[in-house]
Amino acid sequence: MEPANPWSSERLHTKMEQDGTQKLSIIGHSLNSKNIYKNFLAALDTVKLANIRIEVVTMDRTNDSQAQEITEDKRTNIDIERAGGTDRQRTPDKDVGDSERLEPRLVDTSTTSAPSIIQDTPATNINGDKNSDPDVNGTEDREPLSAKSETPVDEPHKTPIPETPIPEELTQTLDNSVESIPIDMHPTGKLVVTTAPSPHLPLVSSFNPASSRMKRGTAALLIAFLAIIVLQGLTIGPTQFLGTQGWASVLGNPGTQGNSNLLTNLKKQMTHAVKPGSTATVEVQMTPEQYIDLIVNKMTLDQKLGQMMIVQFTGATYSLPISTMISQYNVGAVLVFTANGNVVDKGQLTSLIQQMKSGSSTIPLAVAIDQEGGPVDRLIDLDGPRPSAATLGATNDPKQARQAGMQDAKDLTSYGFNLNLAPVVDVTNIYNSQMDGRTFGNTPAQVTKMAGAYLQGLQKSGKVVGTLKHFPGLGDVSTDPHLGIPQLTRSKSNLEAIDWAPYRALIKSGNVHAIMVTHEIVAALDATEPSSLSPKIIQNILRKELGFQGVIMTDSLTMDALTAYATMSQAAVLSIEAGSDLLMGASSPDDVASMFQSIKQAMSTGAITQQRINESVHRILMMKYAMGLLPIPKN
């Protein structure tokens, strides 16, 4: 069978026998193998000085008929043009074009024992004459060597090739390794030496641009992948994309989620088999406080910080910003606000709240609204008007107040709410347009009785928790904290007797789970810091003096009363230091990320401790236990 490779030794040997040539190879065999490689190294050395990559090209496979003709010619002859009997050697400082790249010189060999390093040359001649380049002229003009020169092939001494001195060690290395040099036919039609004889002397480059091209399908997939990242990054903002969570968060793999099966795993730990292999189980008995502590200890820091956030959002759908805040940052609560366009109709509101709850996979979500009735009736377009606190207070009938609380709880539960930012327990003494119609009366006893009755009705079902507000009291100020900083000038004794009396009585009843702190200056306690940022008011008065151990919630940290003192992120840190647990104000993932970063920085300096964070999270989860969101697991 005829060898498939036209350059194989079998084809060459057969052709030589047919032509009557006994020892004539393609490039002659008059020199010994050692001289071949010395001269070859001399050519490479010349190329190296010019800093030109050597390419050994055999033929262009684009034309089948031309390739066949070249194949037949190359069995016996090779076209080597010489100009004037001498080679023109290029200098290193001369620019060389693509069509004038130097090729290694070819010399004759007198033996067939050593394989040829180079089997063929391109049409560019050894002298660098580009007129013989088929890529330039378009054709190959090949003639037998005898037509080009009368010098026999086996007499190379008549056309000597200048030799460059070669270090002995390189010559010896080449002689020792030449037998193992493989030559492969590249897919593009180029012969390449795949292994250089010396690691310090690469003979040829086997780089093939065609093989490095990317497939169209792969390129399309990469472009689509990058487009998704860019679009997500533009949507969620630069802070989240480049912030502490990293860019991978846009692919749905947020770094803050931690153990999303936390509660499931805890439930498994709380029951165990009596004996190995037994199907009977025993329940681990613990108090609610112990169960909440167990949860807190299993949470990551980001999960804990997320629980300390009550966020807002715009729009009537479960959009990307609110989805990100819930699923990625594990925010503990969401405030639904009609002014933000969150409420359209019953079906929309119910579906929206259900989607938000479903997105919170680690700790159940608290969904809040400030449904007071009267001037602050957020659901009036859905359920009709509800009586204001002033209207209920005027009846002086606790039963009506209790019934109003039960009705609100029924309305809220039907949509999925479990936290109501009511009732207001301010004791009105002067007119304030912002507080008009929102208080139960102008005496501490009246407010305590009616607000207490409403709170009982609201929380009776065990599905909705109420919030007393606005501590330390807005009943004796005329400035709206949304617009400026109120100044409360009452003495401490009057504050205790009037403004704090309802708080003291209701806290003592054990029915209060959350209290909201407002932003105002209380001159008798802290003349420099707003109440929401003051440890003297939150820690000393609300925690210690009044004995409240539930959740302390800030009013919005974006109000003008507070922004004159600190940014939202700074206010978040100061509020925690002062003693607050649940921080209101963030309305985007960027806001939450910024608050996270500020709190972590404060923790790194020791201003806020891990124990302080744990205390707040414990109180928040105890409130959720009261809502029925975190029941102790049972068999």
Side-chain angles (χ1 to χ4, degrees):
M1 181 179 293
E2 187 181 26
N5 185 354
W7 307 108
S8 67
S9 60
E10 296 179 28
R11 288 284 298 267
L12 292 175
H13 184 67
T14 302
K15 183 63 178 178
M16 285 189 294
E17 289 181 349
Q18 293 173 355
D19 295 342
T21 304
Q22 297 180 356
K23 292 187 177 181
L24 181 61
S25 63
I26 280 186
I27 57 176
H29 303 287
S30 62
L31 296 178
N32 60 43
S33 60
K34 185 172 182 178
N35 288 334
I36 292 175
Y37 302 117
K38 285 184 178 181
N39 293 333
F40 181 65
L41 284 174
L44 289 179
D45 189 66
T46 302
V47 176
K48 183 178 180 181
L49 291 175
N51 194 23
I52 301 173
R53 178 169 60 90
I54 303 171
E55 294 182 356
V56 182
V57 184
T58 60
M59 64 181 181
D60 187 357
R61 287 189 171 180
T62 59
N63 191 315
D64 293 341
S65 61
Q66 186 180 17
Q68 180 64 31
E69 179 183 351
I70 294 172
T71 299
E72 295 300 328
D73 288 341
K74 286 181 182 292
R75 294 173 183 172
T76 57
N77 299 295
I78 184 166
D79 182 11
I80 303 176
E81 296 183 359
R82 296 181 175 85
T86 60
D87 294 335
R88 181 177 57 193
Q89 183 172 338
R90 300 182 186 276
T91 58
D93 57 346
K94 182 180 181 180
D95 293 337
V96 182
D98 291 340
S99 64
E100 294 184 311
R101 293 182 179 174
L102 291 178
E103 302 297 339
R105 292 174 175 81
L106 300 179
V107 294
D108 297 334
T109 179
S110 59
T111 67
T112 59
S113 59
S116 295
I117 295 179
I118 300 180
Q119 299 278 358
D120 188 22
T121 62
T124 303
N125 61 28
I126 298 175
N127 297 317
D129 187 356
K130 65 182 178 180
N131 291 332
S132 63
D133 190 343
D135 293 333
V136 176
N137 297 329
T139 61
E140 284 188 304
D141 184 15
R142 296 193 176 272
E143 299 178 8
L145 281 176
S146 59
K148 289 290 182 180
S149 174
E150 296 180 357
T151 303
V153 178
D154 57 354
E155 294 181 15
H157 58 280
K158 292 185 179 181
T159 56
I161 298 175
E163 293 190 11
T164 302
I166 303 170
E168 182 64 27
E169 59 273 14
L170 290 180
T171 303
Q172 183 176 1
T173 301
L174 183 60
D175 290 341
N176 294 336
S177 60
V178 65
E179 292 295 338
S180 61
I181 300 175
I183 302 177
D184 294 336
M185 176 67 78
H186 200 278
T188 60
K190 297 182 180 181
L191 286 177
V192 296
V193 179
T194 58
T195 305
S198 170
H200 306 289
L201 189 61
L203 294 180
V204 293
S205 172
S206 61
F207 172 72
N208 178 24
S211 64
S212 63
R213 290 197 188 102
M214 185 181 297
K215 294 182 179 180
R216 292 184 179 179
T218 303
L221 288 175
L222 288 176
I223 292 173
F225 178 77
L226 291 174
I228 292 173
I229 293 178
V230 171
L231 290 175
Q232 289 280 66
L234 293 175
T235 303
I236 66 178
T239 302
Q240 181 186 353
F241 186 74
L242 301 175
T244 57
Q245 304 310 313
W247 65 269
S249 63
V250 302
L251 301 179
N253 186 27
T256 61
Q257 285 186 344
N259 180 14
S260 60
N261 297 321
L262 186 147
L263 297 180
T264 302
N265 294 337
L266 282 179
K267 184 177 180 180
K268 293 179 180 179
Q269 295 176 11
M270 292 178 64
T271 58
H272 61 276
V274 178
K275 295 180 181 180
S278 174
T279 58
T281 59
V282 59
E283 181 179 348
V284 178
Q285 300 293 335
M286 62 175 58
T287 64
E289 289 78 8
Q290 291 173 330
Y291 176 54
I292 297 304
D293 280 339
L294 189 60
I295 297 175
V296 173
N297 292 336
K298 296 291 185 180
M299 295 173 67
T300 67
L301 176 60
D302 285 336
Q303 287 175 334
K304 294 173 183 178
L305 297 182
Q307 288 300 302
M308 297 176 68
M309 305 288 156
I310 177 169
V311 302
Q312 303 180 49
F313 67 103
T314 58
T317 61
Y318 188 55
S319 58
L320 182 60
I322 184 59
S323 171
T324 302
M325 288 188 282
I326 292 174
S327 62
Q328 177 174 332
Y329 291 97
N330 293 285
V331 295
V334 176
L335 175 62
V336 174
F337 204 45
T338 53
N340 290 334
N342 301 148
V343 179
V344 176
D345 54 51
K346 290 185 177 183
Q348 168 270 330
L349 182 58
T350 303
S351 176
L352 174 61
I353 293 175
Q354 181 58 45
Q355 285 179 291
M356 291 192 295
K357 287 182 175 181
S358 298
S360 182
S361 59
T362 305
I363 303 295
L365 186 69
V367 183
I369 191 171
D370 51 345
Q371 176 64 10
E372 300 174 10
V376 185
D377 191 346
R378 308 301 188 191
L379 303 176
I380 187 171
D381 293 335
L382 276 61
D383 300 322
R386 295 289 183 257
S388 66
T391 301
L392 292 173
T395 66
N396 200 28
D397 184 358
K399 292 182 179 180
Q400 292 193 34
R402 187 177 299 107
Q403 183 61 37
M406 293 173 62
Q407 182 61 52
D408 282 347
K410 181 179 179 181
D411 295 340
L412 297 178
T413 302
S414 67
Y415 299 112
F417 292 103
N418 45 38
L419 178 62
N420 190 18
L421 307 186
V424 173
V425 292
D426 297 318
V427 180
T428 301
N429 288 135
I430 62 175
Y431 176 77
N432 183 336
S433 59
Q434 187 236 347
M435 299 302 297
D436 187 27
R438 298 176 63 190
T439 66
F440 286 96
N442 53 13
T443 65
Q446 178 78 357
V447 171
T448 300
K449 178 176 64 176
M450 300 302 290
Y454 176 86
L455 185 63
Q456 288 178 353
L458 182 69
Q459 297 182 162
K460 182 179 180 180
S461 67
K463 297 179 180 179
V464 179
V465 166
T467 307
L468 305 185
K469 61 183 186 183
H470 307 83
F471 188 84
L474 292 176
D476 199 40
V477 298
S478 58
T479 303
D480 183 352
H482 292 86
L483 307 175
I485 183 74
Q487 299 284 336
L488 183 58
T489 58
R490 276 179 174 164
S491 64
K492 183 180 179 182
S493 59
N494 285 337
L495 289 171
E496 290 177 340
I498 301 173
D499 298 277
W500 301 342
Y503 290 98
R504 189 188 304 274
L506 296 176
I507 289 172
K508 188 176 181 178
S509 70
N511 203 30
V512 180
H513 299 285
I515 293 176
M516 179 185 292
V517 176
T518 191
H519 317 300
E520 62 182 346
I521 295 293
V522 183
L525 301 176
D526 192 337
T528 60
E529 295 286 346
S531 52
S532 55
L533 307 181
S534 174
K536 297 177 181 178
I537 295 175
I538 296 178
Q539 292 283 3
N540 294 350
I541 302 301
L542 190 52
R543 290 288 189 209
K544 296 179 180 178
E545 185 173 327
L546 299 181
F548 180 62
Q549 299 304 317
V551 173
I552 295 178
M553 179 191 314
T554 70
D555 209 337
S556 178
L557 301 179
T558 61
M559 288 184 177
D560 290 347
L562 202 59
T563 55
Y565 288 83
T567 65
M568 183 174 62
S569 296
Q570 294 170 339
V573 173
L574 296 173
S575 297
I576 295 173
E577 293 177 356
S580 292
D581 305 309
L582 197 56
L583 312 177
M584 182 188 298
S587 58
S588 71
D590 285 353
D591 291 343
V592 178
S594 178
M595 293 170 76
F596 272 34
Q597 183 177 8
S598 296
I599 295 170
K600 289 179 179 179
Q601 289 177 348
M603 294 180 70
S604 67
T605 62
I608 298 176
T609 64
Q610 180 78 299
Q611 179 60 31
R612 173 67 190 84
I613 298 297
N614 289 348
E615 291 172 357
S616 286
V617 177
H618 177 91
R619 286 189 280 261
I620 293 168
L621 298 190
M622 283 298 299
M623 180 183 71
K624 292 187 175 184
Y625 171 82
M627 296 175 180
L629 300 181
L630 291 172
I632 299 176
K634 296 180 180 179
N635 287 337

